[in-house]
Amino acid sequence: GCPFFPTLAKYEEGGELEACSDQFEEVKSLYQSEGGVGHGRNDLALGPDGKIYAIQGDSVRIPENIANRTSPLRPGILPYRPNEGHVVRMDKDGGNLEVFCGGLRNPYGIAFNREGESFTYDADAENDMGTPWYRPTQVKHLRSGADFGWRAVTRSWPPYYPDHPDNAQPSVHIGKGSPTSVKFGHDSNFPPAYRNALFILDWTYGRILAIHMMERGAGYFGVPEVFLQGSPLNLTDLGFGPDGALYFVTGGRRTKSALYRVRHVGSSNKSAAATLQLEARTDLSRKARDVRRRLEALHRRGGPHDIRTALEHLGNPDPTIRYAARIALEHQPHEKWRGPALQLKAPLPALAAWTALIHADPKSAPVILDCLLGIQPGSLPEDLLLEALHLYSLCLAKSESPPVDAILKQLHPLFPNPSPVVNWVLAPILVELDPKKAVGKTMRVIGDSRDPVERVHHLYNLRQAREGWTPDTQRAYFQTLGEASGYIGDSRGLPRSLTRIRNESLSILSEPEKIQFTPLAGKKLELPPLPDLSGRKFVRAWKPDDFVRDLNFKADEKEVSRGRKIFAVALCSRCHRFHGEGYPVGPDLSGVANRLGRRDLLRSILLPSETIAQNHRTDILELKSGQTMAGQIIPTLDYRAPHLLLAENPIYPDQVRKIAKLDVVSRRRSDVSIMPPGLLNNLEKQEILQLLAFLESTGREDTFHLFLYLAVWR
């Protein structure tokens, strides 16, 4: 029989095979979501439990009218917005619909391992790249109730740090990339290590990575390996055929598409016999997963109540089990477990229980602070110390008159700390509570650090401190801030964030101080100068077909050097960054040759409106006055600000117009690119080919430049 077309093979008793039909018997809507597109409805998968899993990006709203396995307290924990990446799970007929997990950015695929555990490859926040709050792409173990911390509030100010101890933790950090599909190699005829690996696709850098997953208690960690890479290789999807080969497809955004096959040649090695250690690990992990799944059965408001079991496992040494226990607790009315939670003394269960309590009842902040003061933080291992510091920050934000002196007596001896990670969390607490002492200490941390991202983080923490400065530390602060403008960061994130830090730190100074320190703080990111086009004339309205016979060339260093000059002549540098050169308006072109071949790259330049990235589309605003305005909306310092900033001219992106949000009647995205057409019409054909050669180059001319680039992105 046919599982997709039931009428294709249907026997009647005593009859013959019915005629085939090319129509489905029934079209039934199982689930409909709300929200935008771009980072939308990305993949469906049938789980080994027989349920349908639908994975969504952060343009989709989390439904409010269905069961939700994540903590019901999440909306009260700022910042919160209803649209974020999440997984919805349902029966095959659409019944028992529920939110399975959330806090994702833009995951494109979902895959299940042999134990029935689900995984995805989640996207980064490209607009935050280079900043201390940037989170790279990650492989995540999707499990009941998990909240991975992502909120759709990037580019807001102050910045939101998405990573903190009460998040579900990822399994693998990958780095920059653009995730698409994921699949386990279970159905392959590859060697054993690859049959158990998770294969993930990176569209931006044209690579397939094999993630070798290992059990770790009730969770997993993985080791990434570049399995295959090409240039261009704009990967979109993969699967394993009945022949055991890997098949993958390229394409996306109207680029050239093709189907490829990867076969294993030779005999597939048999799996080696498991060692005693591996058997013990497998047995331990199976038991740990059973415990975690029993706790996950409690992830439902109004579901089964077992507060005793949840409290018991808050002290489990496995962090994945502790997390499941805390979410189970947060699904129960806090009045039923508040008393037992406050009576806990051992730091391991107590910190988890008190974190659940501050989530459930912010008014408990004073009593939780008293409990925290009973713990000696200097005696805690680093992971628990970080949990305690995060809990301090949550309680201080909810307490009107905290015991500041007692808290400082406990925390000041820990700062500066030998651990940069502890300094990262401790510095903002102490700068807020006691700037007179903390400012000087933080400046010493900055002076000792060689990590540019760490230094920017502490520059941010100090930007509004009004006390604790000496003439020397104040000069050192602004000098370090000025030097930071030379760090190589993302085209949008780091330069704009440094400008914000600079503006806020200068805003609290007296006029004489501003005159003294503004030159040290550096200038804002400057537009490259307009090139001299006086000798240029119209050559031709170039079309992609004009280059059919010209793209198979080999470029030498001279051609690349000339292409660098054309990058400015064609005004590319006014809107794009290329390995640190140019101005950030459109996409960063540093890795463009890894995903686009010459044909597709040339086509995207000559026909800019043919395919437009969602986050680089022009916005069209209709105002109450009847006026229509078009341009790119520039992120403001605070998304709650009453005005929008609109850059109308892409050639002068630093010139913006302020528009009151109340005056906007409607907003829509244009189908016309902000990039003007005809930018290459005053170039000779050879110059256009030189530009392509430059965009295919590394763009870096010296090792010092490369060192700075790696220092920021490591």
Side-chain angles (χ1 to χ4, degrees):
C2 176
F4 300 107
F5 296 95
T7 58
L8 285 179
K10 186 184 295 182
Y11 284 95
E12 303 222 1
E13 187 175 351
E16 298 180 355
L17 183 68
E18 289 185 355
C20 292
S21 169
D22 62 353
Q23 300 294 319
F24 288 102
E25 287 186 334
E26 181 184 9
V27 177
K28 179 182 178 181
S29 176
L30 300 183
Y31 170 66
Q32 182 173 339
S33 58
E34 296 182 0
V37 296
H39 291 190
R41 298 109 187 121
N42 289 332
D43 196 16
L44 292 172
L46 186 62
D49 55 2
K51 292 180 177 288
I52 297 172
Y53 290 73
I55 196 163
Q56 329 271 12
D58 65 353
S59 291
V60 181
R61 291 180 176 273
I62 293 182
E64 298 179 355
N65 57 346
I66 66 173
N68 193 323
R69 288 184 167 271
T70 65
S71 171
L73 309 176
R74 294 198 319 142
I77 306 171
L78 295 177
Y80 180 80
R81 285 189 181 178
N83 55 306
E84 65 185 57
H86 59 280
V87 176
V88 171
R89 184 172 72 171
M90 68 194 85
D91 295 338
K92 290 181 181 179
D93 61 0
N96 294 317
L97 187 64
E98 60 184 358
V99 176
F100 183 66
C101 63
L104 300 165
R105 162 66 166 158
N106 188 33
Y108 259 79
I110 185 169
F112 295 85
N113 69 3
R114 299 185 192 278
E115 288 75 38
E117 303 287 327
S118 54
F119 296 82
T120 193
Y121 178 29
D122 197 10
D124 57 0
E126 62 274 11
N127 289 310
D128 291 340
M129 286 181 186
T131 67
W133 44 93
Y134 169 70
R135 174 198 277 183
T137 65
Q138 298 169 334
V139 173
K140 291 170 179 170
H141 174 203
L142 305 173
R143 52 193 188 272
S144 170
D147 175 6
F148 293 95
W150 170 257
R151 302 290 183 267
V153 291
T154 52
R155 300 183 293 175
S156 63
W157 196 257
Y160 168 55
Y161 283 76
D163 294 303
H164 37 83
D166 51 0
N167 278 353
Q169 299 301 309
S171 298
V172 190
H173 291 271
I174 301 298
K176 293 174 65 178
S178 182
T180 48
S181 189
V182 299
K183 200 81 67 180
F184 276 97
H186 302 155
D187 296 328
S188 74
N189 62 358
F190 292 175
Y194 296 95
R195 288 201 297 271
N196 292 319
L198 174 66
F199 290 84
I200 65 175
L201 303 188
D202 178 359
W203 187 82
T204 294
Y205 291 101
R207 56 184 181 168
I208 301 177
L209 290 92
I211 311 299
H212 301 284
M213 305 299 298
M214 294 288 291
E215 295 169 309
R216 181 167 59 183
Y220 296 82
F221 73 96
V223 178
E225 173 195 355
V226 176
F227 177 78
L228 185 151
Q229 188 167 18
S231 181
L233 198 67
N234 41 336
L235 297 143
T236 56
D237 203 359
L238 85 160
F240 291 91
D243 58 353
L246 185 156
Y247 291 80
F248 66 87
V249 179
T250 62
R253 294 185 181 167
R254 300 190 181 183
T255 59
K256 184 178 180 180
S257 183
L259 173 65
Y260 296 83
R261 180 177 64 184
V262 179
R263 295 185 297 118
H264 174 67
V265 178
S267 60
S268 297
N269 299 325
K270 294 183 179 180
S271 300
T275 63
L276 291 176
Q277 292 86 348
L278 185 58
E279 289 180 348
R281 174 198 285 269
T282 300
D283 185 59
L284 178 65
S285 294
R286 178 184 55 78
K287 293 177 180 177
R289 284 194 299 273
D290 288 343
V291 172
R292 193 199 80 218
R293 289 169 179 171
R294 288 200 300 271
L295 289 164
E296 289 172 350
L298 307 176
H299 291 177
R300 200 159 183 176
R301 176 60 63 98
H305 293 265
D306 193 350
I307 292 174
R308 180 179 177 180
T309 299
L311 286 169
E312 174 189 347
H313 286 290
L314 290 178
N316 195 296
D318 187 327
T320 308
I321 292 177
R322 287 204 306 276
Y323 184 91
R326 180 172 61 79
I327 300 302
L329 204 61
E330 293 185 5
H331 273 277
Q332 313 304 325
H334 75 274
E335 296 85 359
K336 294 186 177 182
W337 51 265
R338 182 180 188 275
L342 291 174
Q343 293 173 8
L344 292 170
K345 301 299 182 183
L348 190 64
L351 291 172
W354 301 341
T355 299
L357 185 56
I358 192 64
H359 289 169
D361 181 20
K363 294 181 180 179
S364 297
V367 67
I368 296 174
L369 284 174
D370 288 341
C371 292
L372 280 170
L373 290 172
I375 293 179
Q376 297 301 320
S379 64
L380 297 177
E382 185 174 289
D383 59 336
L384 292 186
L385 175 56
L386 293 174
E387 285 191 37
L389 294 176
H390 179 63
L391 187 53
Y392 261 121
S393 66
L394 294 178
C395 291
L396 288 168
K398 302 296 184 181
S399 182
E400 294 182 359
S401 55
V404 173
D405 291 341
I407 294 172
L408 292 176
K409 184 178 180 180
Q410 192 179 62
L411 298 185
H412 258 313
L414 302 177
F415 186 68
N417 197 278
S419 167
V421 179
V422 173
N423 287 334
W424 186 287
V425 179
L426 192 51
I429 297 175
L430 293 177
V431 169
E432 177 69 23
L433 294 180
D434 186 17
K436 289 183 178 180
K437 286 186 179 180
V439 165
K441 289 184 174 184
T442 306
M443 286 303 302
R444 289 200 295 275
V445 171
I446 291 175
D448 292 338
S449 173
R450 294 297 177 263
D451 184 340
V453 175
E454 181 186 354
R455 299 178 88 185
V456 172
H457 168 75
H458 292 302
L459 289 172
Y460 165 76
N461 292 331
L462 293 173
R463 76 198 186 287
Q464 291 285 278
R466 296 177 180 271
E467 298 179 291
W469 297 101
T470 67
D472 288 342
T473 56
Q474 202 164 25
R475 172 173 290 275
Y477 175 86
F478 286 104
Q479 189 169 1
T480 305
L481 184 56
E483 293 170 354
S485 62
Y487 297 158
I488 306 300
D490 179 65
S491 59
R492 291 187 171 212
L494 184 58
R496 290 185 176 179
S497 296
L498 287 172
T499 298
R500 292 169 172 175
I501 294 172
R502 184 181 300 114
N503 291 341
E504 291 199 14
S505 59
L506 290 170
S507 69
I508 64 172
L509 301 182
S510 65
E511 287 304 317
E513 289 174 329
K514 288 180 181 178
I515 295 173
Q516 179 183 2
F517 294 122
T518 298
L520 285 177
K523 300 179 180 179
K524 69 175 184 177
L525 189 63
E526 298 287 348
L527 273 168
L530 282 170
D532 181 8
L533 303 177
S534 58
R536 293 276 174 178
K537 296 182 180 180
F538 176 81
V539 176
R540 184 171 181 174
W542 294 107
K543 299 178 181 178
D545 291 344
D546 296 330
F547 295 83
V548 172
R549 300 179 181 178
D550 302 292
L551 296 180
N552 188 22
F553 65 88
K554 292 184 178 180
D556 56 25
E557 292 183 7
K558 290 183 179 179
E559 298 293 291
V560 172
S561 180
R562 291 168 182 161
R564 174 182 255 102
K565 297 178 182 178
I566 300 302
F567 188 71
V569 170
L571 302 179
C572 304
S573 62
R574 300 278 292 187
C575 293
H576 298 278
R577 298 267 285 186
F578 184 76
H579 293 296
E581 297 183 29
Y583 193 84
V585 176
D588 191 312
L589 302 180
S590 301
V592 67
N594 290 322
R595 60 181 183 272
L596 300 180
R598 286 175 181 169
R599 173 183 169 275
D600 291 327
L601 178 56
L602 178 64
R603 189 175 188 89
S604 67
I605 298 173
L606 297 177
L607 304 174
S609 295
E610 188 174 77
T611 176
I612 310 170
Q614 287 293 326
N615 55 337
H616 294 294
R617 286 184 177 272
T618 300
D619 289 279
I620 299 178
L621 306 179
E622 294 184 10
L623 308 183
K624 290 180 179 179
S625 64
Q627 184 181 8
T628 299
M629 305 185 70
Q632 194 170 35
I633 294 178
I634 305 300
T636 56
L637 303 183
D638 187 345
Y639 68 86
R640 298 162 296 184
H643 295 87
L644 296 174
L645 298 180
L646 188 71
E648 299 176 273
N649 189 340
I651 305 300
Y652 296 97
D654 56 343
Q655 297 180 6
V656 297
R657 180 178 295 192
K658 185 181 290 187
I659 302 171
K661 292 179 180 178
L662 291 176
D663 292 338
V664 178
V665 176
S666 68
R667 170 185 171 183
R668 60 185 173 87
R669 292 294 181 90
S670 172
D671 293 328
V672 178
S673 173
I674 193 173
M675 177 176 169
L679 289 176
L680 306 187
N681 289 350
N682 61 349
L683 299 179
E684 299 291 341
K685 177 179 286 190
Q686 187 60 32
E687 292 178 317
I688 297 174
L689 298 178
Q690 291 166 351
L691 174 62
L692 294 178
F694 172 63
L695 293 175
E696 290 178 341
S697 70
T698 62
R700 307 183 189 111
E701 293 184 337
D702 58 82
T703 56
F704 178 67
H705 188 113
L706 176 61
F707 169 76
L708 282 178
Y709 184 86
L710 294 176
V712 172
W713 288 117
R714 68 190 183 120

